[in-house]
Amino acid sequence: MTDATLPASEGGTPVRADFLPFAQPSIGQEEIDAVVDTLKSGWLTVGPRTRRFEEVVAEYIGVRGAAAVSSCSAGLHLAMVAFGVGSGDEVIMPVLNFAAAANMAIHLGARPVLVDVEPETLNVTAEILETGITRRTKLLIPIHFAGRPCEMEPILDLARSRNLKVLGDGAHAMGADNAGKKVGSAADATSFSFYVTKCVTTGEGGMVTSDDTSVTDKVAELSLHGMSRDAWKRYSDRGSWYYEIVDAGYKYNMSDIQAAIGLCQMRRIDELRNARDRIAHAYDEAFRDLSGVVVPTLRVNGHHAHHLYPIKVDPAILGVPRGAFIDSLKAEGIGVSVHFIPLHLHPFFRRHLGYAAGEFPITESYYERAISLPIYPAMTTKDVSDVIEAVTKLHNHYAR
Ligand SMILES: *Cc1c(COP(=O)(O)O)cnc(C)c1O
């Protein structure tokens, strides 16, 4: 007889026999049909579907400009180029971060200046960003962490008073809004990700939005080798063979196959966001009274996109370190992750930027306890209750 309360890692029965992945895309028949139609159309690369996808996203966000690119990283890169970031400049970003913005800044010869985050929201604030400003600062890059929108008004006021630009990293936050403004509308530009785990996916892909079309036009031009913007039409009956290279661009364009998926996902965006919202609230309800688990604050003045649901486990109460808790969840059949390993703890950034462990206490203390639970629309009611059961089972076994 195995004991149902005994962790599977110690020989008990796992909550699930089949493994629940940490993330899976929500792809329906509509997306499959749209890809097949695109393949049959004969036009696979950037073209009419990509242009339509840009219009749909611009209209949804409520901005004049949107430029589709191959990834959020590419979008961050090109927006930095459009803002004139170059050698010797500094760009300020949170240390609780993926490598994308920092790597892109380094490729441009700029220095990523890392700042800590606010403990409750895990976002940067204007006050925190201000601590990183020097006379070399050119750009502020706040992240809407986990899908929670940053308070943008004070950040924009700070930027205006110091003659800086604000580039939002919107990778987690398609669909989020704060104080009546969608993420992507309250910044000089915002780069979104359509990577497979993100709230809206095209498999791989990204989009830069801005109310200033000179920024998105520049991004679009740079995304296709610096060709004049309508050069994609050169193989169609509406285009001309003649084009001009007007800048040293990159090969960062989206394809119409990706855009076809994105158009379906944008039609479903409310459904997708509501599904994530329901899971977040089910977790909140289930975990709020577990003494060894701290749930994320969900309350926002608008909509949270819930790309991630990061709990914090308290090793003092659970008697096991975070890593052991993750291993035990895996043994129960639940895939989890950690967002993020703080940038300054990676060997490259440590070496290149000269930071040391201990410099960012809020991010480091969060990181030592953080576990991101599965949260995605393709989860069934049973998947959600299995996650709840596994976390509760392990918590109650280990708590003391
Ligand atoms: C996923 C992610 C990115 C990169 O997105 P890609 O589309 O894969 O380039 C950038 N920033 C953050 C915060 C992310 O989570």
Side-chain angles (χ1 to χ4, degrees):
M1 269 302 285
T2 51
D3 180 351
T5 66
L6 189 66
S9 56
E10 297 175 21
T13 310
V15 168
R16 286 175 73 100
D18 62 321
F19 186 70
L20 177 71
F22 168 67
Q24 274 187 309
S26 177
I27 297 294
Q29 194 58 45
E30 201 192 336
E31 280 86 350
I32 293 167
D33 291 344
V35 168
V36 171
D37 284 349
T38 309
L39 295 175
K40 287 182 177 164
S41 79
W43 195 287
L44 309 189
T45 183
V46 54
R49 286 174 174 82
T50 306
R51 292 293 169 255
R52 180 76 197 122
F53 185 36
E54 291 171 338
E55 287 165 11
V56 165
V57 171
E59 193 184 320
Y60 176 78
I61 304 275
V63 283
R64 292 192 190 88
V69 284
S70 54
S71 68
C72 172
S73 307
L76 291 166
H77 189 179
L78 297 185
M80 284 188 230
V81 175
F83 290 136
V85 172
S87 188
D89 292 335
E90 292 178 354
V91 299
I92 305 177
M93 65 186 72
V95 66
L96 182 60
N97 209 330
F98 184 59
N103 278 344
M104 296 303 130
I106 289 169
H107 289 319
L108 290 171
R111 179 184 169 83
V113 170
L114 307 177
V115 292
D116 216 340
V117 294
E118 192 277 318
E120 192 188 328
T121 62
L122 302 171
N123 276 336
V124 287
T125 61
E127 292 72 40
I128 294 172
L129 288 166
E130 191 166 15
T131 63
I133 297 180
T134 72
R135 55 189 182 79
R136 291 174 183 271
T137 308
K138 195 111 183 202
L139 186 65
L140 308 175
I141 313 184
I143 301 179
H144 306 278
F145 185 79
R148 156 185 281 282
C150 291
E151 291 297 334
M152 292 306 287
E153 271 316 312
I155 294 175
L156 289 167
D157 287 345
L158 170 70
R160 285 180 204 116
S161 74
R162 302 296 196 95
N163 200 22
L164 307 173
K165 296 287 187 191
V166 179
L167 169 58
D169 183 334
H172 298 182
M174 179 57 84
D177 56 76
N178 187 44
K181 289 209 131 190
K182 284 241 161 51
V183 165
S185 65
D188 295 300
T190 302
S191 186
F192 289 99
S193 176
F194 305 126
Y195 181 66
V196 67
T197 60
K198 304 288 160 84
C199 295
V200 165
T201 188
T202 60
E204 294 278 2
M207 183 92 70
V208 175
T209 63
S210 176
D211 219 22
D212 179 352
T213 52
S214 73
V215 174
T216 47
D217 285 350
K218 190 72 195 167
V219 168
E221 182 185 289
L222 289 168
S223 75
L224 200 60
H225 283 303
M227 291 183 188
S228 34
R229 190 165 188 179
D230 282 338
W232 65 271
K233 288 183 190 158
R234 68 194 180 284
Y235 298 121
S236 79
D237 58 356
R238 285 171 301 142
S240 155
W241 61 271
Y242 185 77
Y243 60 84
E244 289 180 333
I245 301 292
V246 293
D247 207 340
Y250 301 79
K251 187 64 166 64
Y252 274 168
N253 61 283
M254 180 174 274
S255 79
D256 265 22
I257 305 172
Q258 294 163 299
I261 304 172
L263 283 165
C264 299
Q265 296 260 303
M266 288 306 292
R267 277 195 287 278
R268 299 171 56 207
I269 188 160
D270 289 345
E271 167 209 324
L272 295 172
R273 189 182 67 192
N274 291 343
R276 286 176 183 269
D277 201 51
R278 276 195 298 276
I279 300 168
H281 284 92
Y283 286 162
D284 185 64
E285 188 77 12
F287 301 143
R288 61 164 65 241
D289 295 328
L290 300 183
S291 60
V293 168
V294 180
V295 293
T297 310
L298 302 182
R299 194 173 34 78
V300 292
N301 181 17
H303 291 92
H304 192 306
H306 301 297
H307 165 56
L308 301 173
Y309 189 88
I311 59 169
K312 288 183 283 188
V313 291
D314 187 342
I317 293 174
L318 293 180
V320 287
R322 181 271 313 264
F325 202 85
I326 289 181
D327 293 343
S328 300
L329 278 168
K330 201 169 169 198
E332 299 298 336
I334 307 296
V336 298
S337 191
V338 173
H339 297 85
F340 293 101
I341 302 162
L343 284 189
H344 72 300
L345 300 181
H346 288 288
F348 170 70
F349 296 113
R350 195 187 288 232
R351 194 169 69 236
H352 189 81
L353 302 174
Y355 290 108
E359 285 190 55
F360 301 99
I362 294 163
T363 294
E364 288 175 43
S365 127
Y366 159 76
Y367 167 64
E368 280 155 21
R369 295 181 289 154
I371 302 178
S372 298
L373 299 179
I375 180 165
Y376 48 97
M379 287 174 80
T380 64
T381 311
K382 179 174 178 301
D383 293 337
V384 176
S385 61
D386 286 347
V387 175
I388 291 171
E389 190 184 329
V391 171
T392 309
K393 169 184 168 177
L394 295 175
H395 175 273
N396 293 346
H397 177 80
Y398 291 126
R400 50 182 193 194

